[in-house]
Amino acid sequence: MSHSVDSDVSAVRRYIERHRAAFLDDLAEWLRIPSVSAQTDHADDVRRSADWLAAALGATGFPTVEVWPTAGAPAVYAEWPSDDPAAPTVLVYGHHDVQPAAREDGWDTDPFEPVVRDNRLYARGAADDKGQVFFHTLGVRAHLAATGRTAPAVHLKLLVEGEEESSSPHFRALVEANAERLAADAVIVSDTGMWSEDTPTVCTGMRGLTDCEIRLYGPDQDIHSGSFGGAVPNPATAAARLVAALHDEHARVAIPGFYDGVVELTERERALFAELPFDEDQWLRTAKSHAPHGEAGYTTLERVWARPTAEVNGIGGGYQGPGSKTIIPASAMVKLSFRLVAGQDPHHVEKVVRDWAAGQLPAGIRSEIEFSPATRPCLTPLDHPALQSVARAMGRAFDRPVRFTREGGSGPAADLQEVLGAPVLFLGISVPSDGWHAPNEKVELDLLLKGVETTAYLWGDLAATWRHAP
Amino acid sequence: MSHSVDSDVSAVRRYIERHRAAFLDDLAEWLRIPSVSAQTDHADDVRRSADWLAAALGATGFPTVEVWPTAGAPAVYAEWPSDDPAAPTVLVYGHHDVQPAAREDGWDTDPFEPVVRDNRLYARGAADDKGQVFFHTLGVRAHLAATGRTAPAVHLKLLVEGEEESSSPHFRALVEANAERLAADAVIVSDTGMWSEDTPTVCTGMRGLTDCEIRLYGPDQDIHSGSFGGAVPNPATAAARLVAALHDEHARVAIPGFYDGVVELTERERALFAELPFDEDQWLRTAKSHAPHGEAGYTTLERVWARPTAEVNGIGGGYQGPGSKTIIPASAMVKLSFRLVAGQDPHHVEKVVRDWAAGQLPAGIRSEIEFSPATRPCLTPLDHPALQSVARAMGRAFDRPVRFTREGGSGPAADLQEVLGAPVLFLGISVPSDGWHAPNEKVELDLLLKGVETTAYLWGDLAATWRHAP
């Protein structure tokens, strides 16, 4: 091997500075495509977004770029093999679709007309996730430029799906069908965030998710609450009692078997979480909430990152219009979601929820339960060598020590972990104020370029320290 | 006094038979007026209905007939003083407005084109309430004819409102403004039913009603259940826990103070209820429900007629559309209604509900509670002389013993009781199959004429046995 795998910091920074303007112009062009996967009238835009990205990856230098059709929106796949056959293989995951956005939702400017103000780029998708996908383009070029290489130090693969904001309905099938081509020693997900502008962090895991709708049926139609009230079961009451029974008085999930297999936090993890500069009042402001509330015996961060939950996302039944209507409703429904942590099996959780729900209902109330496909939790141990590489690369880019977090949300990355059998690492530079899914989404330009810089160091570090998959 | 107060049965029946055809023709004419108070495009029809009734009461012989305007639909008032100044004064209550009805709702014939089939008169309002108002016209004429009187044995007043099917928003004010003219020793409500064709019954009371909407606010907007779930309070969970806390494990209302003042059933009343030919399976079919459910220690009839309830009429919060949305909703609401029984004060119930609700909510959940104007319960003791008169008159008309029931619903009659300080008695001949508020509403012609006959005996009986208000 004649090439260096180490990138000189000043060479990387010079390269990035020189290409910064073109990089941002290109990203803005992509952000102008309203690739809203949840809205069928944007299906063409999602396809255009895939084609645009494929062209951009080709221009970046990836020798193989393909648009992969699915039963829904297309994904983009790209490969850039290392010139070292023994190098590890890394698969980067991201998505090119975005959440819906409309000016009237509260945007100060058109969500699909990117603008830069105060060193921030405002647009739908700026942080979630086009900006974080796109830093990999300039990142790999900076890596090559600074090391004098013509191919990356690792075998680099990218998979950028087009349905993440619509729950990735076809992602798992796509990964399974292409498992051989996607095979990797590690998966790097760039669809998360870090602690704050001042505290770079590496995320070590995400919670999983399984959700269901429970429909409860009582009388065959709405009936008069005067004529019958007090003497027949009310499905809205049954729905409420079901939801109320989700938690015990310690806000712990009360479904028998729900916690089976849960990997408990280690003392070291709890200590690392506790070291983070966490300001609960500030966190509550971010949560737009007015008090903390959760499982007894755990801190807020532990609750969000490392504890499974049962949450009601929607409840409905009977008359919800203005004024009153004195009925016993014919039906009611609840939508429940369960965040899962490492060690929990979604199929087992589904089973215990079904058993529990069936046992909660009074005679005369019929139920239907429908589960959506689940997302598994994932967690990479703190001492995994690839995780250490990510932390080192980020530390160089940010010039400060990197800490560790987890992510409370869930993502299709878990499918990659499961199907490919590879650990999932998270490299994200978004910060909580970026406004994912909200009006005025933005990305901090300085952080976006730190993302570029991190990947410019990462491939070399990985290749140097982790030449063979564990 | 030279007049008889007693009406000979055969004389009454001959008189009714002779006038039956004209009576039914007249009623059909009234039923053709679609006096739907809930639909503003029928406002003219409601006014026409009032005018039509006023003319019919004038033709019946009432010397004073007036149409009383309200801020909404007009009521009709009529007076026919007895020639015996010492006679008791009776105020009959009914309503001339009807529920909405459209052929496409499932009617076999036009709801506003009355037809007679199988000795039943089908039309919207046939039973609720035009038929039951109208039997008082032929009834008072039969009373006069059979007794040879020129004026009724009691001071007879009628108040027929036009907004009952729209919750009587102006009724209380109307009664208060005219309390002196409406003054009565007893109120007779003809807007209820009896047990069945074979079992004539007198209703002795109605439940009251107070209802409220409770709105619960959590995060300032819907927030991500992955990022925040498990660590902040969820207003939909709070709403569900509130509803679940309404009842204890015996389905008894668990709000402290709710049962304050409740008049318990006497052993005699329980025995009378138990004598009724009650078929629980049949009742469940009528309730379109699949199991009985209610307060432990009480039968179904006791639960519906004599026990107060807490019922959720509507609940809503978060995402209720298809699929899933992993949010913690910003808000949720419940609509609760409380049926009240004699001895319960709606203002006290409102207070204990407010106190209870405030104590149920976790920190971080803000609530608003809004109560609608309440309807008081009413109950006339079984030994009240006017109630005994109604039972005797009905017994003569039906040639069989009369039993006693109560009504689980609530009505504006309670306002008459409260403002006028008079006991409320119920004289209704409708049966459960009449289809109030449903398609193909009808009245049984035989029962309608029994209603005529009952009132033909009633005024004489009342005057003879209850000459002075208690």
Side-chain angles (χ1 to χ4, degrees):
Chain A
M1 293 297 303
S2 61
H3 305 302
S4 162
V5 291
D6 193 23
S7 309
D8 175 72
V9 168
S10 56
V12 164
R13 292 186 178 167
R14 269 197 313 277
Y15 187 88
I16 293 172
E17 191 51 37
R18 206 156 53 234
H19 294 85
R20 170 195 164 108
F23 169 74
L24 294 178
D25 283 350
D26 287 348
L27 174 57
E29 190 175 298
W30 192 20
L31 290 168
R32 282 189 193 97
I33 303 174
S35 49
V36 181
S37 58
Q39 297 174 337
T40 50
D41 55 336
H42 283 295
D44 275 345
D45 293 319
V46 180
R47 281 189 288 272
R48 270 208 299 142
S49 165
D51 292 340
W52 187 97
L53 175 63
L57 292 172
T60 299
F62 281 84
T64 302
V65 181
E66 298 170 14
V67 173
W68 284 358
T70 74
V76 177
Y77 176 71
E79 261 185 49
W80 198 337
S82 176
D83 47 9
D84 174 4
T89 301
V90 173
L91 173 65
V92 170
Y93 165 86
H95 61 91
H96 67 89
D97 62 321
V98 298
Q99 277 278 312
R103 183 75 187 261
E104 57 269 28
D105 296 341
W107 286 76
D108 295 333
T109 54
D110 185 330
F112 297 105
E113 190 44 66
V115 293
V116 173
R117 283 197 313 273
D118 300 331
N119 210 30
R120 294 166 177 147
L121 174 60
Y122 287 86
R124 173 57 87 222
D128 175 24
D129 181 40
K130 286 174 174 169
Q132 303 203 88
V133 167
F134 207 58
F135 69 58
H136 286 280
T137 61
L138 185 56
V140 68
R141 293 201 58 80
H143 161 59
L144 298 181
T147 55
R149 305 178 67 95
T150 54
V154 297
H155 301 297
L156 189 58
K157 301 179 177 181
L158 255 80
L159 179 60
V160 184
E161 71 155 317
E163 298 186 310
E164 199 273 345
E165 301 296 2
S166 303
S167 308
S168 304
H170 308 102
F171 184 70
R172 171 106 186 185
L174 185 77
V175 173
E176 285 174 346
N178 296 282
E180 224 165 298
R181 295 193 66 191
L182 294 169
D185 298 304
V187 175
I188 297 213
V189 170
S190 284
D191 186 25
T192 49
M194 52 179 224
W195 183 260
S196 71
E197 285 84 339
D198 303 324
T199 308
T201 50
V202 172
C203 171
T204 67
M206 296 181 95
R207 292 195 289 192
L209 175 66
T210 185
D211 56 41
C212 65
E213 180 172 316
I214 306 182
R215 293 177 287 270
L216 301 179
Y217 300 96
D220 296 337
Q221 62 184 46
D222 291 352
I223 60 174
H224 194 287
S225 73
S227 305
F228 305 109
V232 297
N234 179 331
T237 303
R241 293 180 79 92
L242 199 64
V243 171
L246 280 172
H247 300 94
D248 68 14
E249 70 274 26
H250 306 295
R252 191 172 158 87
V253 178
I255 299 171
F258 179 77
Y259 289 96
D260 288 353
V262 162
V263 174
E264 296 288 335
L265 280 162
T266 63
E267 283 312 307
R268 173 150 186 247
E269 284 167 311
R270 298 188 84 159
L272 285 172
F273 288 179
E275 275 173 19
L276 287 162
F278 179 68
D279 175 340
E280 190 149 85
D281 289 338
Q282 175 56 42
W283 183 87
L284 281 173
R285 280 192 291 278
T286 307
K288 297 182 188 300
S289 293
H290 303 281
H293 179 88
E295 190 183 355
Y298 295 90
T299 67
T300 288
L301 285 183
E302 290 167 354
R303 288 168 176 171
V304 169
W305 287 347
R307 297 302 298 169
T309 67
E311 204 74 67
V312 53
N313 311 117
I315 187 167
Y319 181 68
Q320 300 179 45
S324 61
K325 192 173 179 189
T326 48
I327 53 165
I328 295 170
S331 65
M333 71 87 196
V334 294
K335 289 178 188 278
L336 304 181
S337 65
F338 302 91
R339 298 284 166 176
L340 309 177
V341 300
Q344 280 182 301
D345 172 21
H347 301 296
H348 178 69
V349 170
E350 174 173 339
K351 186 190 170 302
V352 300
V353 170
R354 285 183 182 277
D355 291 348
W356 163 84
Q360 296 290 317
L361 301 177
I365 299 288
R366 183 171 64 80
S367 69
E368 289 172 359
I369 306 193
E370 193 179 339
F371 272 81
S372 308
T375 303
R376 287 181 178 270
C378 50
L379 181 66
T380 302
L382 288 172
D383 56 2
H384 192 285
L387 186 66
Q388 297 291 327
S389 281
V390 174
R392 270 193 304 274
M394 196 173 212
R396 284 181 86 183
F398 282 83
D399 285 324
R400 56 177 72 194
V402 168
R403 296 167 188 270
F404 296 92
T405 64
R406 292 198 202 172
E407 164 59 42
S410 312
D415 286 324
L416 294 168
Q417 167 190 265
E418 200 186 347
V419 177
L420 307 179
V424 173
L425 314 167
F426 299 87
L427 169 54
I429 51 73
S430 181
V431 285
S433 61
D434 281 353
W436 291 32
H437 301 199
N440 301 314
E441 179 180 347
K442 55 89 178 163
V443 68
E444 301 282 333
L445 290 184
D446 285 348
L447 299 184
L448 185 67
L449 297 169
K450 291 294 181 196
V452 173
E453 193 177 340
T454 299
T455 59
Y457 306 132
L458 177 58
W459 310 138
D461 190 295
L462 265 176
T465 62
W466 193 54
R467 294 189 58 81
H468 297 286
Chain B
M1 296 296 303
S2 59
H3 307 303
S4 162
V5 289
D6 194 22
S7 310
D8 175 72
V9 168
S10 55
V12 164
R13 290 185 179 168
R14 270 198 313 276
Y15 186 87
I16 293 173
E17 190 53 37
R18 206 155 55 232
H19 294 85
R20 171 195 164 106
F23 168 75
L24 294 178
D25 283 351
D26 287 348
L27 175 56
E29 192 176 296
W30 192 21
L31 291 168
R32 282 191 193 95
I33 302 174
S35 49
V36 180
S37 58
Q39 297 173 337
T40 49
D41 54 338
H42 283 295
D44 276 344
D45 293 319
V46 181
R47 280 190 288 271
R48 271 207 298 141
S49 165
D51 292 340
W52 187 97
L53 175 63
L57 292 173
T60 298
F62 281 84
T64 301
V65 182
E66 297 169 14
V67 173
W68 284 358
T70 73
V76 177
Y77 175 71
E79 260 185 49
W80 198 338
S82 176
D83 47 10
D84 174 5
T89 301
V90 173
L91 173 66
V92 169
Y93 165 86
H95 62 89
H96 67 90
D97 62 320
V98 299
Q99 279 276 312
R103 185 72 186 262
E104 58 269 26
D105 295 340
W107 285 76
D108 295 331
T109 54
D110 185 330
F112 297 106
E113 189 44 66
V115 292
V116 173
R117 282 195 318 271
D118 302 330
N119 209 30
R120 293 167 178 145
L121 173 60
Y122 288 86
R124 173 58 86 224
D128 176 21
D129 184 39
K130 285 175 175 170
Q132 302 203 89
V133 166
F134 207 57
F135 69 58
H136 286 281
T137 61
L138 185 56
V140 68
R141 294 201 57 80
H143 161 59
L144 298 180
T147 55
R149 304 178 65 97
T150 53
V154 298
H155 300 297
L156 189 58
K157 300 178 178 181
L158 256 80
L159 179 62
V160 184
E161 70 155 318
E163 298 187 310
E164 199 275 343
E165 301 295 3
S166 303
S167 308
S168 304
H170 308 102
F171 184 68
R172 172 104 186 188
L174 186 77
V175 173
E176 285 175 345
N178 296 280
E180 223 166 297
R181 294 194 66 189
L182 293 169
D185 298 305
V187 174
I188 297 212
V189 169
S190 283
D191 187 27
T192 51
M194 53 180 225
W195 182 261
S196 71
E197 285 83 339
D198 303 325
T199 307
T201 49
V202 172
C203 170
T204 66
M206 296 181 96
R207 291 196 288 193
L209 173 66
T210 187
D211 55 40
C212 65
E213 181 171 316
I214 306 182
R215 293 179 287 269
L216 301 179
Y217 301 95
D220 295 336
Q221 63 184 45
D222 291 353
I223 59 173
H224 195 287
S225 74
S227 305
F228 306 109
V232 296
N234 178 329
T237 303
R241 294 182 78 93
L242 200 62
V243 171
L246 280 173
H247 299 95
D248 67 17
E249 69 275 26
H250 306 295
R252 190 173 158 87
V253 178
I255 299 170
F258 179 76
Y259 289 98
D260 288 353
V262 163
V263 174
E264 294 289 335
L265 280 162
T266 64
E267 283 312 307
R268 172 146 187 252
E269 285 168 312
R270 299 188 84 158
L272 286 171
F273 288 179
E275 273 173 22
L276 287 163
F278 180 67
D279 176 339
E280 189 148 87
D281 289 340
Q282 175 55 44
W283 183 87
L284 281 172
R285 281 192 290 277
T286 306
K288 298 185 188 302
S289 292
H290 302 283
H293 179 86
E295 190 184 355
Y298 294 90
T299 66
T300 289
L301 285 184
E302 289 166 355
R303 287 168 176 170
V304 168
W305 288 347
R307 297 301 299 169
T309 68
E311 203 74 66
V312 54
N313 311 116
I315 187 168
Y319 181 67
Q320 300 180 46
S324 62
K325 192 173 180 189
T326 47
I327 53 165
I328 295 170
S331 65
M333 69 88 197
V334 295
K335 287 176 189 278
L336 304 180
S337 64
F338 302 91
R339 297 283 166 177
L340 309 178
V341 299
Q344 280 182 300
D345 172 19
H347 300 296
H348 178 68
V349 170
E350 174 173 338
K351 185 190 172 301
V352 300
V353 169
R354 285 182 183 276
D355 290 349
W356 164 83
Q360 296 291 314
L361 302 177
I365 299 289
R366 183 171 63 81
S367 70
E368 288 172 0
I369 308 192
E370 191 179 341
F371 273 80
S372 308
T375 302
R376 288 181 176 269
C378 48
L379 180 66
T380 303
L382 288 172
D383 57 2
H384 192 285
L387 185 67
Q388 296 292 325
S389 283
V390 173
R392 269 192 306 272
M394 195 174 212
R396 284 178 86 183
F398 282 83
D399 284 327
R400 53 178 75 193
V402 169
R403 295 166 189 274
F404 295 91
T405 64
R406 293 199 202 171
E407 164 62 41
S410 313
D415 286 325
L416 294 169
Q417 168 191 264
E418 198 186 347
V419 178
L420 307 180
V424 173
L425 313 168
F426 299 88
L427 168 56
I429 51 73
S430 181
V431 287
S433 62
D434 282 351
W436 290 31
H437 300 200
N440 300 312
E441 179 181 348
K442 54 88 179 164
V443 68
E444 301 282 332
L445 289 186
D446 287 347
L447 299 184
L448 184 65
L449 296 168
K450 291 296 182 195
V452 173
E453 195 179 336
T454 299
T455 58
Y457 306 133
L458 177 58
W459 309 138
D461 191 297
L462 265 177
T465 61
W466 193 52
R467 294 186 59 80
H468 295 286

